[in-house]
Amino acid sequence: MTPASLRQCRINGIVVVVAGLIWFLLLGYRDLIEPDEGRYAEIAREMLNSGDWITPRLNGFKYFEKPPLQYWGSAISMALLGETNAAARVWCAGLGFIGALWVGFVGGRLYSRSAGYFAFLFSISTVLYVGMGHANSLDMGVSSLLIIAVGALVLAQSERDQPIYERNWMLLAWAALAGATLSKGLIGLVLPGGAIVLYSLWQRDWALWRHLHLGKGLLVYLLIAAPWFVAVSYANPEFPHFFFIHEHFERFTSDVHGRTKSNWYFFAVFAIGSMPWLFSSINGLIKPPFSWRAEPGKFEASRLLWVYTIFVFFFFSISHSKLPGYILPMFPALALLVGENMSKHKHIIADGIVALVLAGVIFIFFIWQADNTAKIGRLASHLTLFRPWIIATAFLAAAAGISTLLLKDKKNLAISSYALCALLGIQMLSWGYQSISELRSSKQMAEAIQAYIGKNTVEIYDVSRYDQSLPYYLGRTIKLVGFTGELEFGINQEPQKWINNADFLPVWLNSEQAISLLNQTTYDEWKQQQIPMHTIYENARYIAVARR
């Protein structure tokens, strides 16, 4: 290694460390956002406190929508760090950064050291990847485990002439697939499996199937993934039908969860989620680092990565259930294609222009918002507090764009500066959201309730609603009144834990001490009927009232 390349490696190492500091900085600053962050934190908290690591429960009800790997990880972090915001996010943030490092490693092995470095920078500075890496949801965990599997697969197939290396990489791939299955179900097999089928048909690389180590691999997969599915089915006979039929087949083919969107929905998600690398992302898809004409029989890593990326996108596009995080698994594979392209291009000025346009749009929005604050009403004070963070993001986007122009002859430095500015800018929006967290989090409500009841044992009722983060911040479950939602299955299993609206009023009137959370409509109805209560806390979403 020459002195110049050694110096570049040291600089790259410093950038990776700085990126890690920004990535994990203030991880617990923002309160948990409902519904996802509150839901998955509460399941982990209940698992830790109950000691039941087999049957997931949400607010005391059986909850079988997802497998338990993230719950286990979050519960362990809570045992070590306490029941905090940061502990709830450690699993996602940690796997997100590990996934980005892994992408850098795979890119370095497949292509070149610079391609791997650029792939890492792309990963840790796109809107969707950074956002999901700092949100307590399941998408980042499954995405990281899937790219570990796909990355290990392409490394194995690239070293077919070295049987031991090939076998070891493939066993890692199978283990990661098991982890992905334990994270979010059968897509842990469907996404890479579908990509392999399509790739082998296109490339006519039939030898791939002989080098998957199916026997040993399936054994590793089953040893890791099967025990929990067997144990939870034994403890809960109702699990298999709900999980495999309702949560997989019916969710994909019908609007059972009310998440139907246009078939074009993920094009918009991709455009926003790939910011500020929109140009490079599109370039990686339409000009990938391989020839469109396949060479039959030859393994082509870039082609497999491209097929996987496209398959993930269109698989979820035809699904009846759509949420932004669903296409996150395509981004780490896309990062490898983009990283290889960047290593061959002279500059990233086009991405810089995208960042400057983005900064301009944010500034225009801010000016418009400043002129219309008076029309927002109760939200005005929240938006006023959020505005400095938005401005900081706009300045960082502008700085990123300008850096590509000023450093166009120093590509490594330009891309490093661009990525770090983008990462910090996205984090600014995340941290700034804390100023309006009351609109999507129940932490302040929980603090007000705790201050009011002190050490007394008081029943808490959520009337015609379920505020997902409230049990987590209270450190206890609450009673649901007239609400089923996603808990309908669990409520049907244990209906005695639930109260319907018709039966609740006598319960309230006969309570010595109790607290209810009401929306404005219900509060007005109670007030009109002169139902005894007094307000202990109120925000833009709901009102907490006490019986005594």
Side-chain angles (χ1 to χ4, degrees):
M1 184 177 291
T2 65
S5 60
L6 182 60
R7 182 169 59 253
Q8 187 61 56
C9 284
R10 289 172 179 168
I11 293 172
N12 292 354
I14 293 172
V15 172
V16 171
V17 171
V18 172
L21 292 174
I22 298 173
W23 183 272
F24 290 103
L25 186 64
L26 301 179
L27 187 60
Y29 176 69
R30 174 175 50 79
D31 293 337
L32 300 178
I33 296 174
E34 297 169 355
D36 286 7
E37 288 202 295
R39 176 195 303 124
Y40 299 126
E42 174 59 14
I43 294 172
R45 186 196 70 81
E46 292 184 40
M47 187 170 281
L48 175 64
N49 289 326
S50 68
D52 183 355
W53 297 77
I54 299 299
T55 303
R57 289 181 177 272
L58 176 59
N59 196 46
F61 295 102
K62 294 180 180 181
Y63 190 82
F64 294 144
E65 293 201 6
K66 297 296 183 291
L69 184 59
Q70 180 161 325
Y71 311 149
W72 291 343
S74 296
I76 292 170
S77 67
M78 289 173 191
L80 297 174
L81 304 174
E83 295 171 10
T84 63
N85 295 337
R89 295 193 182 106
V90 163
W91 178 261
C92 295
L95 273 183
F97 198 74
I98 289 171
L101 291 173
W102 171 253
V103 163
F105 170 77
V106 173
R109 291 287 294 259
L110 283 180
Y111 305 120
S112 66
R113 191 175 286 111
S114 61
Y117 177 63
F118 296 148
F120 165 79
L121 291 178
F122 174 90
S123 294
I124 54 94
S125 57
T126 50
V127 166
L128 189 62
Y129 195 86
V130 178
M132 299 309 298
H134 294 84
N136 182 30
S137 71
L138 304 178
D139 299 299
M140 179 52 77
V142 72
S143 298
S144 297
L145 288 164
L146 280 173
I147 195 56
I148 290 173
V150 173
L153 169 67
V154 296
L155 290 178
Q157 302 308 313
S158 298
E159 299 177 357
R160 288 176 181 171
D161 57 335
Q162 301 183 57
I164 295 176
Y165 283 100
E166 178 197 86
R167 181 202 63 198
N168 292 343
W169 284 124
M170 281 309 307
L171 293 181
L172 173 61
W174 283 104
L177 287 179
T181 304
L182 283 172
S183 290
K184 211 176 179 184
L186 296 182
I187 64 166
L189 281 178
V190 171
L191 296 181
I196 289 172
V197 170
L198 293 174
Y199 161 81
S200 59
L201 290 173
W202 182 12
Q203 183 73 10
R204 285 178 283 175
D205 180 11
W206 313 123
L208 171 64
W209 294 93
R210 298 197 306 270
H211 291 270
L212 292 179
H213 291 266
L214 287 170
K216 296 186 186 74
L218 284 172
L219 180 61
V220 169
Y221 176 86
L222 292 173
L223 285 174
I224 296 173
W228 176 78
F229 285 99
V230 173
V232 73
S233 298
Y234 180 78
N236 306 276
E238 67 274 19
F239 168 81
H241 180 272
F242 179 84
F243 182 81
F244 292 107
I245 303 301
H246 178 79
E247 279 303 303
H248 284 80
F249 181 75
E250 291 181 2
R251 177 184 284 234
F252 186 84
T253 59
S254 69
D255 188 26
V256 65
H257 285 287
R259 295 171 179 171
T260 298
K261 305 285 193 308
S262 163
N263 288 337
W264 299 96
Y265 174 75
F266 284 122
F267 285 93
V269 173
F270 175 80
I272 297 172
S274 62
M275 288 290 182
W277 298 100
L278 179 61
F279 179 83
S280 286
S281 298
I282 294 175
N283 197 48
L285 293 175
I286 64 177
K287 294 182 179 180
F290 61 81
S291 171
W292 289 109
R293 179 184 287 274
E295 297 183 41
K298 178 185 177 181
F299 178 72
E300 177 59 71
S302 296
R303 194 184 305 276
L304 177 56
L305 292 168
W306 186 86
V307 170
Y308 172 76
T309 300
I310 297 298
F311 180 71
V312 170
F313 183 88
F314 282 102
F315 176 84
F316 287 112
S317 291
I318 64 174
S319 169
H320 281 258
S321 182
K322 295 181 175 71
L323 287 175
Y326 286 2
I327 63 167
L328 183 65
M330 71 180 285
F331 276 81
L334 177 61
L336 288 165
L337 303 176
V338 171
E340 172 64 349
N341 279 351
M342 284 183 182
S343 68
K344 297 176 179 177
H345 294 164
K346 292 182 179 180
H347 51 69
I348 57 165
I349 291 178
D351 284 307
I353 293 173
V354 170
L356 289 171
V357 170
L358 185 61
V361 169
I362 295 174
F363 275 122
I364 292 171
F365 173 79
F366 164 70
I367 294 171
W368 173 86
Q369 194 65 63
D371 292 338
N372 288 272
T373 295
K375 302 176 184 178
I376 304 298
R378 297 175 69 176
L379 302 183
S381 60
H382 293 292
L383 293 175
T384 300
L385 294 172
F386 197 7
R387 214 172 279 131
W389 300 90
I390 299 174
I391 295 173
T393 296
F395 273 114
L396 285 164
I402 293 171
S403 70
T404 64
L405 302 176
L406 297 179
L407 302 171
K408 63 180 181 180
D409 296 325
K410 299 179 180 179
K411 185 173 69 173
N412 268 52
L413 185 57
I415 294 176
S416 299
S417 300
Y418 189 84
L420 291 179
C421 285
L423 171 59
L424 185 57
I426 299 167
Q427 288 285 63
M428 286 287 180
L429 287 179
S430 176
W431 300 331
Y433 195 87
Q434 177 61 16
S435 60
I436 60 173
S437 65
E438 182 182 314
L439 304 178
R440 291 284 303 277
S441 177
S442 297
K443 184 177 182 181
Q444 293 184 38
M445 173 71 79
E447 290 174 345
I449 292 173
Q450 291 283 27
Y452 183 80
I453 65 178
K455 297 182 179 181
N456 296 317
T457 301
V458 178
E459 200 68 76
I460 299 172
Y461 300 95
D462 220 349
V463 181
S464 301
R465 57 188 299 127
Y466 175 48
D467 301 285
Q468 297 270 14
S469 65
L470 184 60
Y472 182 73
Y473 286 123
L474 288 172
R476 50 171 286 190
T477 58
I478 58 179
K479 288 284 188 180
L480 297 186
V481 178
F483 176 90
T484 55
E486 64 184 317
L487 289 170
E488 182 177 6
F489 173 81
I491 290 171
N492 289 338
Q493 303 301 311
E494 301 171 292
Q496 71 278 6
K497 295 182 178 181
W498 182 79
I499 305 174
N500 62 42
N501 284 310
D503 294 336
F504 176 60
L505 190 56
V507 172
W508 176 257
L509 294 175
N510 291 325
S511 298
E512 287 296 324
Q513 291 184 330
I515 290 174
S516 285
L517 277 66
L518 315 173
N519 60 31
Q520 188 65 51
T521 300
T522 304
Y523 176 79
D524 292 339
E525 291 174 355
W526 281 29
K527 194 171 183 180
Q528 187 176 16
Q529 297 173 40
Q530 296 184 339
I531 295 173
M533 61 178 177
H534 67 272
T535 301
I536 62 173
Y537 183 83
E538 179 178 2
N539 63 22
R541 295 193 301 160
Y542 45 50
I543 303 166
V545 298
R547 177 67 181 91
R548 291 283 188 267

